[in-house]
Amino acid sequence: MEPWSSVARQRKKMFCCDVCSKPMSMLAPCAEPHHWKIFTCVTPEAHRVVKLFAITFTAFQETLRRRVFYIVLLLTFLVVIMIGSQMFFMRMARHAGETQIVTNMGVHFMQMIVGFWNFAALFLALFLGGIGVSSEISARTIVHVMSRPVKRWVYLLGRWFGILIFLYLFLLVGMAGALLVSVWLNIPFASTLWLAFAENYVMATFYSGVALGFSVVMPPMLAGTLAFLLSILPSIAQNAIHDPRWLHRMPALVGYYLGPAQMPVKLMAESFAKERLHTDYWLYLRVLGENIFYVVAVFVVATFFFRRREVRVR
């Protein structure tokens, strides 16, 4: 029999659940000594989807605690009250039998609600996208996240998804309010209204994604400003595209194709037009798809720079 001191320790690597599932034998005082078994507990790493969901949920909670959200809600409430004052005149016109005036006022009322709500959503997209990373650095919470085995692209994607969930819900409230007004006032609209709502969602995705991508390499204010200027760059350069002077035409062409695709018509106004032209749904969907592809490309480039960026906490 080998002496107790000469017994070699056997190391065996297994998961914690396997260790807990195996019963351990008790050593009796008179029993022969058994070999020692030293287990190395290896906790399985969480899946990337689980990490992405956790970061997304945290970003969504942080967005709800932003003060700018309550300021926008207050302004929205005040504007809705101001617009609601028009309902008095609409009621007078309805009692007078002026159905056409009631319909026109209802269309104008609905467009004002959707327009202001969309403006508030785009402002939130630029603001939240611009501070998506810098707020984590200033709060020093990014140190705790980066100290764990989390890929930087997973972290950046989770921050973006959290912002998008908030923006989509915000737009959903405005869209539901506009549809309720349309049903209440019996306002007819074309099927392009759904494309107009989809355009609002795509633009919120574009502004938040581009602003978040720019914020990786520049300050938040500059990132939001450049994201907005990039969206209107094709409209600015469109007039100089056909300039006969090549010195003016070439920068205009670069600026036109550098920005996102522009919708050829205003879908919201076309949805309530009395005389509707031929609706090219494929063209509208292609413009929306190009803008989605554009923001995805910007986000991929941003993750490339974010992986090589040294995060410094002040």
Side-chain angles (χ1 to χ4, degrees), residues 243-297:
D243 196 301
R245 293 168 294 184
W246 67 271
L247 190 60
H248 294 174
R249 186 172 64 254
M250 293 304 296
L253 287 174
V254 172
Y256 182 81
Y257 289 105
L258 185 63
Q262 300 293 311
M263 193 65 69
V265 296
K266 294 183 178 180
L267 294 177
M268 185 60 65
E270 188 180 357
S271 302
F272 301 99
K274 296 180 180 179
E275 297 180 0
R276 302 183 181 93
L277 301 177
H278 176 68
T279 304
D280 193 351
Y281 292 99
W282 171 246
L283 176 61
Y284 303 154
L285 292 175
R286 188 175 61 184
V287 171
L288 298 179
E290 288 179 2
N291 289 336
I292 291 293
F293 178 78
Y294 186 98
V295 69
V296 169

Short mmCIF file of all heavy atoms in Angstrom, two decimals, residues 243-297:
data_model
loop_
_atom_site.label_atom_id
_atom_site.label_comp_id
_atom_site.label_asym_id
_atom_site.label_seq_id
_atom_site.Cartn_x
_atom_site.Cartn_y
_atom_site.Cartn_z
N ASP A 243 -24.75 72.07 -62.55
CA ASP A 243 -24.00 73.30 -62.84
C ASP A 243 -23.00 73.02 -63.97
O ASP A 243 -22.28 72.02 -63.93
CB ASP A 243 -23.26 73.76 -61.58
CG ASP A 243 -22.79 75.20 -61.70
OD1 ASP A 243 -22.01 75.51 -62.62
OD2 ASP A 243 -23.21 76.03 -60.86
N PRO A 244 -22.92 73.87 -64.99
CA PRO A 244 -21.99 73.61 -66.10
C PRO A 244 -20.52 73.69 -65.70
O PRO A 244 -19.66 73.11 -66.36
CB PRO A 244 -22.36 74.69 -67.13
CG PRO A 244 -23.03 75.76 -66.34
CD PRO A 244 -23.74 75.07 -65.22
N ARG A 245 -20.23 74.38 -64.62
CA ARG A 245 -18.84 74.49 -64.18
C ARG A 245 -18.47 73.26 -63.36
O ARG A 245 -19.09 72.97 -62.34
CB ARG A 245 -18.66 75.76 -63.35
CG ARG A 245 -18.83 77.06 -64.15
CD ARG A 245 -18.95 78.26 -63.25
NE ARG A 245 -20.17 78.23 -62.45
CZ ARG A 245 -20.55 79.21 -61.63
NH1 ARG A 245 -19.79 80.29 -61.50
NH2 ARG A 245 -21.67 79.11 -60.94
N TRP A 246 -17.47 72.54 -63.83
CA TRP A 246 -17.10 71.28 -63.18
C TRP A 246 -16.55 71.51 -61.78
O TRP A 246 -16.64 70.63 -60.92
CB TRP A 246 -16.05 70.55 -64.02
CG TRP A 246 -14.72 71.25 -64.09
CD1 TRP A 246 -14.32 72.18 -65.00
CD2 TRP A 246 -13.63 71.06 -63.20
NE1 TRP A 246 -13.05 72.60 -64.73
CE2 TRP A 246 -12.59 71.92 -63.63
CE3 TRP A 246 -13.41 70.26 -62.08
CZ2 TRP A 246 -11.37 72.00 -62.97
CZ3 TRP A 246 -12.20 70.33 -61.42
CH2 TRP A 246 -11.19 71.19 -61.87
N LEU A 247 -16.00 72.71 -61.52
CA LEU A 247 -15.47 73.00 -60.19
C LEU A 247 -16.58 73.06 -59.15
O LEU A 247 -16.36 72.77 -57.96
CB LEU A 247 -14.70 74.33 -60.22
CG LEU A 247 -13.88 74.67 -58.97
CD1 LEU A 247 -12.82 73.60 -58.73
CD2 LEU A 247 -13.24 76.04 -59.11
N HIS A 248 -17.78 73.41 -59.57
CA HIS A 248 -18.94 73.41 -58.68
C HIS A 248 -19.69 72.09 -58.72
O HIS A 248 -20.29 71.68 -57.73
CB HIS A 248 -19.89 74.55 -59.05
CG HIS A 248 -19.30 75.90 -58.83
ND1 HIS A 248 -19.95 77.07 -59.22
CD2 HIS A 248 -18.13 76.31 -58.26
CE1 HIS A 248 -19.21 78.12 -58.91
NE2 HIS A 248 -18.09 77.68 -58.33
N ARG A 249 -19.67 71.45 -59.88
CA ARG A 249 -20.44 70.23 -60.05
C ARG A 249 -19.83 69.03 -59.33
O ARG A 249 -20.55 68.22 -58.74
CB ARG A 249 -20.59 69.91 -61.54
CG ARG A 249 -21.52 68.74 -61.82
CD ARG A 249 -21.79 68.56 -63.30
NE ARG A 249 -20.58 68.22 -64.04
CZ ARG A 249 -19.92 69.06 -64.83
NH1 ARG A 249 -20.37 70.30 -65.00
NH2 ARG A 249 -18.83 68.69 -65.47
N MET A 250 -18.50 68.91 -59.33
CA MET A 250 -17.86 67.75 -58.73
C MET A 250 -18.06 67.69 -57.21
O MET A 250 -18.43 66.64 -56.67
CB MET A 250 -16.37 67.74 -59.08
CG MET A 250 -16.10 67.49 -60.56
SD MET A 250 -16.86 65.96 -61.16
CE MET A 250 -15.96 64.76 -60.18
N PRO A 251 -17.84 68.78 -56.45
CA PRO A 251 -18.14 68.71 -55.00
C PRO A 251 -19.61 68.43 -54.71
O PRO A 251 -19.94 67.76 -53.73
CB PRO A 251 -17.71 70.09 -54.49
CG PRO A 251 -16.74 70.58 -55.48
CD PRO A 251 -17.22 70.06 -56.81
N ALA A 252 -20.49 68.96 -55.60
CA ALA A 252 -21.92 68.71 -55.40
C ALA A 252 -22.25 67.23 -55.59
O ALA A 252 -23.06 66.66 -54.85
CB ALA A 252 -22.74 69.57 -56.35
N LEU A 253 -21.63 66.60 -56.58
CA LEU A 253 -21.87 65.18 -56.81
C LEU A 253 -21.34 64.34 -55.64
O LEU A 253 -21.99 63.37 -55.21
CB LEU A 253 -21.20 64.74 -58.11
CG LEU A 253 -21.87 65.20 -59.41
CD1 LEU A 253 -21.01 64.82 -60.61
CD2 LEU A 253 -23.26 64.60 -59.54
N VAL A 254 -20.18 64.72 -55.12
CA VAL A 254 -19.63 63.99 -53.97
C VAL A 254 -20.55 64.12 -52.76
O VAL A 254 -20.85 63.15 -52.06
CB VAL A 254 -18.21 64.50 -53.65
CG1 VAL A 254 -17.70 63.89 -52.35
CG2 VAL A 254 -17.26 64.18 -54.79
N GLY A 255 -21.02 65.34 -52.51
CA GLY A 255 -21.92 65.55 -51.38
C GLY A 255 -23.26 64.86 -51.56
O GLY A 255 -23.85 64.36 -50.60
N TYR A 256 -23.74 64.81 -52.81
CA TYR A 256 -25.04 64.19 -53.07
C TYR A 256 -25.00 62.68 -52.81
O TYR A 256 -25.91 62.12 -52.20
CB TYR A 256 -25.46 64.47 -54.51
CG TYR A 256 -26.80 63.90 -54.87
CD1 TYR A 256 -27.98 64.56 -54.52
CD2 TYR A 256 -26.91 62.70 -55.58
CE1 TYR A 256 -29.22 64.04 -54.85
CE2 TYR A 256 -28.14 62.17 -55.91
CZ TYR A 256 -29.29 62.84 -55.55
OH TYR A 256 -30.52 62.32 -55.87
N TYR A 257 -23.94 62.03 -53.27
CA TYR A 257 -23.84 60.58 -53.09
C TYR A 257 -23.25 60.19 -51.73
O TYR A 257 -23.33 59.03 -51.35
CB TYR A 257 -22.99 59.97 -54.21
CG TYR A 257 -23.69 59.98 -55.55
CD1 TYR A 257 -23.33 60.90 -56.53
CD2 TYR A 257 -24.72 59.09 -55.81
CE1 TYR A 257 -23.98 60.92 -57.75
CE2 TYR A 257 -25.37 59.11 -57.04
CZ TYR A 257 -25.00 60.02 -58.00
OH TYR A 257 -25.65 60.05 -59.22
N LEU A 258 -22.68 61.15 -51.03
CA LEU A 258 -22.16 60.86 -49.69
C LEU A 258 -23.28 60.76 -48.67
O LEU A 258 -23.18 60.01 -47.69
CB LEU A 258 -21.16 61.94 -49.26
CG LEU A 258 -20.44 61.73 -47.93
CD1 LEU A 258 -19.58 60.47 -47.98
CD2 LEU A 258 -19.58 62.94 -47.60
N GLY A 259 -24.36 61.49 -48.88
CA GLY A 259 -25.48 61.47 -47.95
C GLY A 259 -26.42 60.31 -48.21
O GLY A 259 -26.25 59.53 -49.16
N PRO A 260 -27.44 60.17 -47.39
CA PRO A 260 -28.41 59.07 -47.56
C PRO A 260 -29.34 59.34 -48.74
O PRO A 260 -29.41 60.45 -49.28
CB PRO A 260 -29.17 59.07 -46.23
CG PRO A 260 -29.08 60.49 -45.77
CD PRO A 260 -27.74 60.99 -46.21
N ALA A 261 -30.08 58.32 -49.13
CA ALA A 261 -31.04 58.44 -50.22
C ALA A 261 -32.22 59.31 -49.79
O ALA A 261 -32.67 59.23 -48.65
CB ALA A 261 -31.52 57.06 -50.67
N GLN A 262 -32.70 60.12 -50.71
CA GLN A 262 -33.80 61.04 -50.43
C GLN A 262 -35.10 60.51 -51.03
O GLN A 262 -35.11 59.99 -52.15
CB GLN A 262 -33.49 62.43 -51.00
CG GLN A 262 -32.24 63.06 -50.43
CD GLN A 262 -32.37 63.40 -48.96
OE1 GLN A 262 -33.36 64.01 -48.54
NE2 GLN A 262 -31.39 63.00 -48.17
N MET A 263 -36.17 60.66 -50.28
CA MET A 263 -37.48 60.26 -50.78
C MET A 263 -37.94 61.25 -51.85
O MET A 263 -37.90 62.47 -51.62
CB MET A 263 -38.48 60.20 -49.63
CG MET A 263 -39.77 59.49 -49.98
SD MET A 263 -39.54 57.72 -50.33
CE MET A 263 -39.11 57.09 -48.72
N PRO A 264 -38.37 60.79 -53.02
CA PRO A 264 -38.73 61.73 -54.10
C PRO A 264 -39.98 62.55 -53.80
O PRO A 264 -40.16 63.63 -54.37
CB PRO A 264 -38.95 60.81 -55.31
CG PRO A 264 -39.27 59.47 -54.72
CD PRO A 264 -38.50 59.39 -53.44
N VAL A 265 -40.86 62.07 -52.93
CA VAL A 265 -42.09 62.80 -52.60
C VAL A 265 -42.24 62.80 -51.08
O VAL A 265 -41.60 62.03 -50.37
CB VAL A 265 -43.33 62.15 -53.25
CG1 VAL A 265 -43.26 62.23 -54.76
CG2 VAL A 265 -43.48 60.70 -52.79
N LYS A 266 -43.11 63.68 -50.61
CA LYS A 266 -43.47 63.69 -49.20
C LYS A 266 -44.63 62.73 -49.00
O LYS A 266 -45.76 63.01 -49.39
CB LYS A 266 -43.85 65.11 -48.76
CG LYS A 266 -42.68 66.08 -48.80
CD LYS A 266 -43.10 67.45 -48.28
CE LYS A 266 -41.92 68.41 -48.29
NZ LYS A 266 -42.30 69.75 -47.78
N LEU A 267 -44.32 61.60 -48.40
CA LEU A 267 -45.32 60.54 -48.29
C LEU A 267 -46.50 60.94 -47.41
O LEU A 267 -47.64 60.54 -47.68
CB LEU A 267 -44.65 59.28 -47.72
CG LEU A 267 -43.60 58.63 -48.62
CD1 LEU A 267 -42.97 57.44 -47.92
CD2 LEU A 267 -44.22 58.18 -49.93
N MET A 268 -46.24 61.73 -46.37
CA MET A 268 -47.34 62.14 -45.50
C MET A 268 -48.33 63.02 -46.24
O MET A 268 -49.55 62.86 -46.12
CB MET A 268 -46.78 62.86 -44.28
CG MET A 268 -47.83 63.23 -43.24
SD MET A 268 -48.70 61.79 -42.56
CE MET A 268 -47.34 60.97 -41.74
N ALA A 269 -47.83 63.98 -47.03
CA ALA A 269 -48.73 64.86 -47.78
C ALA A 269 -49.44 64.09 -48.90
O ALA A 269 -50.61 64.36 -49.20
CB ALA A 269 -47.94 66.03 -48.36
N GLU A 270 -48.74 63.14 -49.51
CA GLU A 270 -49.36 62.37 -50.59
C GLU A 270 -50.45 61.45 -50.07
O GLU A 270 -51.38 61.10 -50.80
CB GLU A 270 -48.29 61.55 -51.31
CG GLU A 270 -48.79 60.85 -52.57
CD GLU A 270 -47.71 60.04 -53.25
OE1 GLU A 270 -46.56 60.09 -52.78
OE2 GLU A 270 -48.02 59.37 -54.25
N SER A 271 -50.37 61.06 -48.82
CA SER A 271 -51.37 60.15 -48.26
C SER A 271 -52.75 60.79 -48.15
O SER A 271 -53.77 60.10 -48.13
CB SER A 271 -50.92 59.66 -46.88
OG SER A 271 -49.67 59.01 -46.96
N PHE A 272 -52.79 62.14 -48.07
CA PHE A 272 -54.07 62.84 -47.94
C PHE A 272 -54.40 63.68 -49.16
O PHE A 272 -55.32 64.50 -49.12
CB PHE A 272 -54.04 63.74 -46.70
CG PHE A 272 -53.78 62.99 -45.43
CD1 PHE A 272 -52.51 62.96 -44.87
CD2 PHE A 272 -54.79 62.31 -44.79
CE1 PHE A 272 -52.26 62.28 -43.70
CE2 PHE A 272 -54.55 61.61 -43.62
CZ PHE A 272 -53.28 61.60 -43.07
N ALA A 273 -53.64 63.51 -50.24
CA ALA A 273 -53.91 64.28 -51.45
C ALA A 273 -55.19 63.78 -52.12
O ALA A 273 -55.50 62.59 -52.13
CB ALA A 273 -52.73 64.17 -52.42
N LYS A 274 -55.92 64.72 -52.69
CA LYS A 274 -57.17 64.35 -53.37
C LYS A 274 -56.89 63.63 -54.68
O LYS A 274 -57.53 62.64 -55.02
CB LYS A 274 -58.00 65.61 -53.64
CG LYS A 274 -58.46 66.32 -52.37
CD LYS A 274 -59.28 67.55 -52.72
CE LYS A 274 -59.73 68.27 -51.46
NZ LYS A 274 -60.52 69.50 -51.77
N GLU A 275 -55.95 64.16 -55.43
CA GLU A 275 -55.58 63.55 -56.70
C GLU A 275 -54.20 62.93 -56.55
O GLU A 275 -53.19 63.63 -56.48
CB GLU A 275 -55.57 64.60 -57.82
CG GLU A 275 -56.93 65.23 -58.08
CD GLU A 275 -56.87 66.25 -59.19
OE1 GLU A 275 -55.76 66.44 -59.74
OE2 GLU A 275 -57.92 66.85 -59.50
N ARG A 276 -54.17 61.63 -56.48
CA ARG A 276 -52.91 60.92 -56.26
C ARG A 276 -52.36 60.43 -57.59
O ARG A 276 -53.09 59.88 -58.42
CB ARG A 276 -53.12 59.73 -55.31
CG ARG A 276 -53.69 60.13 -53.96
CD ARG A 276 -53.80 58.93 -53.04
NE ARG A 276 -54.38 59.30 -51.76
CZ ARG A 276 -55.67 59.24 -51.48
NH1 ARG A 276 -56.51 58.82 -52.42
NH2 ARG A 276 -56.12 59.59 -50.30
N LEU A 277 -51.08 60.67 -57.78
CA LEU A 277 -50.41 60.19 -58.98
C LEU A 277 -50.08 58.71 -58.82
O LEU A 277 -50.43 58.07 -57.83
CB LEU A 277 -49.14 61.01 -59.22
CG LEU A 277 -49.36 62.52 -59.39
CD1 LEU A 277 -48.01 63.22 -59.56
CD2 LEU A 277 -50.27 62.82 -60.57
N HIS A 278 -49.41 58.18 -59.82
CA HIS A 278 -49.03 56.77 -59.77
C HIS A 278 -48.03 56.55 -58.63
O HIS A 278 -47.00 57.21 -58.55
CB HIS A 278 -48.40 56.35 -61.10
CG HIS A 278 -47.89 54.95 -61.09
ND1 HIS A 278 -48.73 53.85 -61.02
CD2 HIS A 278 -46.62 54.46 -61.12
CE1 HIS A 278 -48.01 52.75 -61.03
NE2 HIS A 278 -46.73 53.08 -61.09
N THR A 279 -48.37 55.64 -57.73
CA THR A 279 -47.54 55.38 -56.56
C THR A 279 -46.53 54.29 -56.88
O THR A 279 -46.91 53.15 -57.17
CB THR A 279 -48.42 54.96 -55.37
OG1 THR A 279 -49.40 55.97 -55.13
CG2 THR A 279 -47.56 54.79 -54.13
N ASP A 280 -45.27 54.63 -56.81
CA ASP A 280 -44.20 53.68 -57.08
C ASP A 280 -43.71 53.11 -55.74
O ASP A 280 -42.77 53.62 -55.13
CB ASP A 280 -43.06 54.37 -57.84
CG ASP A 280 -42.07 53.37 -58.42
OD1 ASP A 280 -42.19 52.16 -58.10
OD2 ASP A 280 -41.18 53.78 -59.19
N TYR A 281 -44.38 52.06 -55.29
CA TYR A 281 -44.04 51.48 -54.00
C TYR A 281 -42.63 50.90 -53.99
O TYR A 281 -41.93 50.96 -52.97
CB TYR A 281 -45.05 50.39 -53.62
CG TYR A 281 -46.43 50.92 -53.33
CD1 TYR A 281 -47.43 50.88 -54.28
CD2 TYR A 281 -46.73 51.46 -52.08
CE1 TYR A 281 -48.71 51.37 -54.02
CE2 TYR A 281 -47.99 51.95 -51.80
CZ TYR A 281 -48.97 51.90 -52.78
OH TYR A 281 -50.23 52.39 -52.50
N TRP A 282 -42.21 50.32 -55.10
CA TRP A 282 -40.89 49.73 -55.16
C TRP A 282 -39.80 50.79 -54.99
O TRP A 282 -38.79 50.55 -54.32
CB TRP A 282 -40.71 48.99 -56.48
CG TRP A 282 -39.31 48.53 -56.73
CD1 TRP A 282 -38.45 48.94 -57.70
CD2 TRP A 282 -38.59 47.55 -55.96
NE1 TRP A 282 -37.25 48.30 -57.60
CE2 TRP A 282 -37.30 47.44 -56.53
CE3 TRP A 282 -38.90 46.77 -54.84
CZ2 TRP A 282 -36.34 46.57 -56.04
CZ3 TRP A 282 -37.93 45.91 -54.35
CH2 TRP A 282 -36.68 45.82 -54.94
N LEU A 283 -40.01 51.97 -55.56
CA LEU A 283 -39.04 53.05 -55.40
C LEU A 283 -38.96 53.51 -53.95
O LEU A 283 -37.87 53.72 -53.41
CB LEU A 283 -39.42 54.22 -56.30
CG LEU A 283 -38.55 55.48 -56.19
CD1 LEU A 283 -37.10 55.18 -56.56
CD2 LEU A 283 -39.12 56.60 -57.05
N TYR A 284 -40.11 53.65 -53.31
CA TYR A 284 -40.12 54.09 -51.91
C TYR A 284 -39.45 53.06 -50.99
O TYR A 284 -38.67 53.41 -50.10
CB TYR A 284 -41.55 54.34 -51.45
CG TYR A 284 -42.30 55.36 -52.29
CD1 TYR A 284 -43.69 55.34 -52.38
CD2 TYR A 284 -41.61 56.34 -53.01
CE1 TYR A 284 -44.37 56.27 -53.15
CE2 TYR A 284 -42.28 57.27 -53.78
CZ TYR A 284 -43.66 57.23 -53.86
OH TYR A 284 -44.33 58.14 -54.63
N LEU A 285 -39.75 51.79 -51.22
CA LEU A 285 -39.14 50.74 -50.41
C LEU A 285 -37.63 50.65 -50.66
O LEU A 285 -36.86 50.36 -49.74
CB LEU A 285 -39.80 49.40 -50.71
CG LEU A 285 -41.26 49.25 -50.26
CD1 LEU A 285 -41.82 47.91 -50.72
CD2 LEU A 285 -41.37 49.37 -48.74
N ARG A 286 -37.22 50.91 -51.89
CA ARG A 286 -35.79 50.87 -52.19
C ARG A 286 -35.05 52.00 -51.48
O ARG A 286 -33.93 51.81 -50.98
CB ARG A 286 -35.58 50.95 -53.70
CG ARG A 286 -34.14 50.73 -54.13
CD ARG A 286 -34.03 50.71 -55.63
NE ARG A 286 -34.45 51.99 -56.21
CZ ARG A 286 -34.53 52.21 -57.53
NH1 ARG A 286 -34.23 51.24 -58.38
NH2 ARG A 286 -34.91 53.39 -57.97
N VAL A 287 -35.67 53.18 -51.41
CA VAL A 287 -35.05 54.30 -50.70
C VAL A 287 -34.91 53.97 -49.21
O VAL A 287 -33.86 54.21 -48.60
CB VAL A 287 -35.88 55.58 -50.90
CG1 VAL A 287 -35.37 56.69 -49.98
CG2 VAL A 287 -35.80 56.03 -52.35
N LEU A 288 -35.95 53.39 -48.63
CA LEU A 288 -35.88 53.01 -47.22
C LEU A 288 -34.81 51.94 -46.99
O LEU A 288 -34.07 51.99 -46.00
CB LEU A 288 -37.25 52.51 -46.75
CG LEU A 288 -38.40 53.52 -46.80
CD1 LEU A 288 -39.69 52.86 -46.32
CD2 LEU A 288 -38.09 54.74 -45.96
N GLY A 289 -34.73 50.98 -47.91
CA GLY A 289 -33.71 49.93 -47.77
C GLY A 289 -32.30 50.47 -47.90
O GLY A 289 -31.39 50.04 -47.19
N GLU A 290 -32.09 51.42 -48.81
CA GLU A 290 -30.76 52.01 -48.97
C GLU A 290 -30.34 52.77 -47.71
O GLU A 290 -29.17 52.73 -47.32
CB GLU A 290 -30.76 52.95 -50.18
CG GLU A 290 -30.82 52.22 -51.52
CD GLU A 290 -30.84 53.19 -52.69
OE1 GLU A 290 -30.77 54.42 -52.44
OE2 GLU A 290 -30.91 52.73 -53.85
N ASN A 291 -31.27 53.45 -47.08
CA ASN A 291 -30.93 54.18 -45.86
C ASN A 291 -30.61 53.22 -44.71
O ASN A 291 -29.73 53.51 -43.89
CB ASN A 291 -32.07 55.11 -45.47
CG ASN A 291 -32.21 56.28 -46.42
OD1 ASN A 291 -31.24 56.67 -47.08
ND2 ASN A 291 -33.39 56.84 -46.52
N ILE A 292 -31.32 52.10 -44.65
CA ILE A 292 -30.99 51.10 -43.63
C ILE A 292 -29.59 50.53 -43.88
O ILE A 292 -28.78 50.37 -42.95
CB ILE A 292 -32.04 49.98 -43.62
CG1 ILE A 292 -33.38 50.51 -43.10
CG2 ILE A 292 -31.58 48.80 -42.77
CD1 ILE A 292 -33.36 50.91 -41.65
N PHE A 293 -29.29 50.22 -45.12
CA PHE A 293 -27.96 49.72 -45.46
C PHE A 293 -26.89 50.77 -45.16
O PHE A 293 -25.79 50.43 -44.73
CB PHE A 293 -27.93 49.33 -46.94
CG PHE A 293 -26.59 48.84 -47.41
CD1 PHE A 293 -26.17 47.54 -47.12
CD2 PHE A 293 -25.74 49.66 -48.13
CE1 PHE A 293 -24.93 47.08 -47.54
CE2 PHE A 293 -24.50 49.22 -48.55
CZ PHE A 293 -24.09 47.92 -48.26
N TYR A 294 -27.22 52.03 -45.37
CA TYR A 294 -26.27 53.12 -45.12
C TYR A 294 -25.90 53.17 -43.63
O TYR A 294 -24.71 53.25 -43.27
CB TYR A 294 -26.90 54.44 -45.56
CG TYR A 294 -25.99 55.64 -45.49
CD1 TYR A 294 -25.33 56.09 -46.63
CD2 TYR A 294 -25.79 56.33 -44.30
CE1 TYR A 294 -24.50 57.20 -46.58
CE2 TYR A 294 -24.96 57.42 -44.24
CZ TYR A 294 -24.32 57.86 -45.38
OH TYR A 294 -23.49 58.95 -45.31
N VAL A 295 -26.90 53.14 -42.77
CA VAL A 295 -26.62 53.26 -41.33
C VAL A 295 -25.92 52.00 -40.81
O VAL A 295 -25.08 52.08 -39.90
CB VAL A 295 -27.92 53.55 -40.56
CG1 VAL A 295 -28.86 52.36 -40.57
CG2 VAL A 295 -27.62 53.95 -39.12
N VAL A 296 -26.22 50.84 -41.39
CA VAL A 296 -25.52 49.62 -40.98
C VAL A 296 -24.04 49.71 -41.36
O VAL A 296 -23.15 49.31 -40.59
CB VAL A 296 -26.18 48.39 -41.61
CG1 VAL A 296 -25.32 47.14 -41.42
CG2 VAL A 296 -27.56 48.16 -41.00
N ALA A 297 -23.75 50.26 -42.55
CA ALA A 297 -22.36 50.42 -42.97
C ALA A 297 -21.62 51.39 -42.05
O ALA A 297 -20.46 51.14 -41.67
CB ALA A 297 -22.31 50.91 -44.41
#
